[in-house]
Amino acid sequence: MAILKTEGLTYQYSVGTPFEKTAVDHVDLEIQDGEFVGLIGHTGSGKSTLIQQFNGLLKPTSGRILLDGQDIWALKKADMRQVRFQVGLVFQYPEYQLFEETVYKDIAFGPRNMGLDEQEIDRRVRQTAQAVGLAPELLEQPPFALSGGQKRRVAIAGVMAMEPRVLILDEPTAGLDPRGRDRILDQLKTYHRSHGGTIILVSHSMEDVARFASKILVMNQGKVFCYDTPEHVFRRSEEIRRLGLSVPQITRVFNALESRGYRFDSQVYTVAYAKDMLLRHLKEKGGDGTC
Ligand code: ADP
């Protein structure tokens, strides 16, 4: 069942002015419930505009957006509010939006807005703080006392605490060091496994997307270039590179091996899979599988 569906979704900025710009151009898309989608594309390809339409922040110029089969712009105002709770959006650099006196209050802000009782709010705050690796003693600290990575995780927990069915994150690792980045990505993966919702992760990094996503959506000039499994997307690595996007380093290595006559029965896009593939290949060649 598609949790999100778009039909001819189009968004134009500054309509009727010399600055008119079609940012999202007739996008038809179906995102299945439970998918982990990696959304990738150049700066200006329409990623932010697309995701802001997913939770009703931007109203399409034309076309429809359906959540669970329901056109969100045909809903009453009160129900539209529910859409924002069901499709949670973590903006870029979300830590700039922390404003409460304590981490606890910041994470509790969303659930409180939903009108939940204190006990349920408390459960959610503690559970999501744990999910993003924040120690309980940090909950009573002021957010400004935390490190950059911790603040980012507080902001992510604040959206997770609304328990959205679709969690969208716009470049959640931007500006973090490699450790902070891996930490957030691993936590997202664990959250996805245990929570079972849908995640849409906007990223500049093909490596990250290849490691975590079950589907990859490549945007180019406001249109969907492709939306498929990593395996199928990276089969088109030449075309993707022609768009000026990278493919994972390991895919490039395997493409180079293939151009030298080696044959592999599937597309390689993670290092772990590459290792398995090479060992299998060596065994088939009659070796003992050691390199
Ligand atoms: P991405 O997130 O992939 O970088 P955006 O959705 O931000 O892409 O932008 C898509 C296009 O829309 C770009 O050409 C951008 O310049 C334009 N755009 C984005 N926001 C605005 C705005 N507020 N006003 C006018 N044009 C905009």
Side-chain angles (χ1 to χ4, degrees), residues 68-176:
D68 259 340
Q70 170 68 54
D71 178 349
I72 64 170
W73 287 98
L75 290 169
K76 289 195 219 88
K77 209 170 170 193
D79 294 330
M80 189 61 166
R81 214 168 110 82
Q82 291 302 319
V83 170
R84 307 251 160 87
F85 298 142
Q86 287 191 51
V87 184
L89 182 52
V90 180
F91 288 99
Q92 273 187 39
Y93 297 97
E95 59 275 21
Y96 293 137
Q97 288 162 26
L98 300 177
F99 66 98
E100 293 279 10
E101 298 147 39
T102 65
V103 168
Y104 187 102
K105 284 187 182 170
D106 247 312
I107 301 177
F109 183 79
R112 185 153 286 132
N113 243 340
M114 295 170 80
L116 301 172
D117 63 47
E118 283 305 320
Q119 200 183 351
E120 177 62 9
I121 292 173
D122 190 65
R123 179 191 72 76
R124 291 187 180 203
V125 171
R126 293 185 189 282
Q127 195 172 314
T128 50
Q130 192 189 14
V132 298
L134 292 166
E137 54 271 24
L138 290 180
L139 289 173
E140 294 314 319
Q141 297 280 319
F144 68 79
L146 272 50
S147 72
Q150 285 172 327
K151 278 191 238 173
R152 177 85 46 100
R153 285 184 275 132
V154 172
I156 294 173
V159 179
M160 280 179 176
M162 294 195 286
E163 300 190 349
R165 297 185 56 208
V166 184
L167 175 64
I168 307 178
L169 305 104
D170 195 354
E171 300 267 7
T173 60
L176 297 181

Side-chain angles (χ1 to χ4, degrees), residues 207 234 237-238 241 246-264 266-271 273-275 277-278 281:
E207 313 283 338
F234 294 126
S237 41
E238 260 318 301
R241 284 158 76 172
S246 67
V247 295
Q249 210 172 22
I250 197 70
T251 302
R252 295 207 295 276
V253 170
F254 272 72
N255 287 348
L257 287 171
E258 280 177 335
S259 70
R260 286 174 173 78
Y262 290 91
R263 288 286 159 258
F264 303 99
S266 57
Q267 190 64 47
V268 176
Y269 50 88
T270 65
V271 173
Y273 189 55
K275 182 182 146 204
M277 185 66 93
L278 283 178
H281 199 74

